[in-house]
Amino acid sequence: MEIVCEWCENQAKNGKNTVYWELPDGTRAIQIIDTPAVVCDECNMVYQTDETTKSIEDQLFLIDTKKIGKSIMYEELMAQPRLLKRNYFDFTS
């Protein structure tokens, strides 16, 4: 499947990067390492898709964030046990 950069509309590729995310309760931010990203060599943009952003936000809302340190790998974050089955406050789906 061809990936198109949302910024310059040239061909892009899958990659990973480190992002910083504020926790839902606003108490602090964490570093998330090896987060899936879209990488564009043409305009040098590196960004997360809407789907990745939603999955991170949902996961942070549904887990006990007190158990997360200052930094966590993306796969480790997504593997954290959820306190709820889904985000019941998300009315977009």
Side-chain angles (χ1 to χ4, degrees):
M1 181 169 102
E2 184 177 317
I3 301 169
V4 176
C5 176
E6 292 180 16
W7 296 90
C8 72
E9 299 182 356
N10 284 300
Q11 187 172 354
K13 60 187 175 192
N14 288 318
K16 295 182 179 188
N17 72 335
T18 297
V19 297
Y20 299 86
W21 223 273
E22 184 177 351
L23 296 180
D25 64 4
T27 56
R28 62 190 173 104
I30 61 169
Q31 179 185 51
I32 306 172
I33 302 165
D34 284 344
T35 304
V38 175
V39 179
C40 179
D41 292 331
E42 189 68 31
C43 70
N44 295 319
M45 286 300 297
V46 179
Y47 61 93
Q48 278 59 54
T49 63
D50 291 341
E51 293 81 17
T52 299
T53 299
K54 183 171 179 1
S55 68
I56 291 171
E57 289 177 351
D58 283 348
Q59 186 69 351
L60 289 173
F61 189 75
L62 298 172
I63 65 173
D64 184 359
T65 57
K66 292 180 179 93
K67 295 181 178 180
I68 299 174
K70 293 180 181 181
S71 181
I72 191 168
M73 301 291 288
Y74 174 81
E75 292 298 328
E76 183 182 351
L77 171 66
M78 300 314 286
Q80 294 290 310
R82 291 181 168 192
L83 302 174
L84 298 170
K85 291 182 182 180
R86 67 179 190 91
N87 183 351
Y88 293 100
F89 298 101
D90 179 8
F91 302 108
T92 60
S93 51

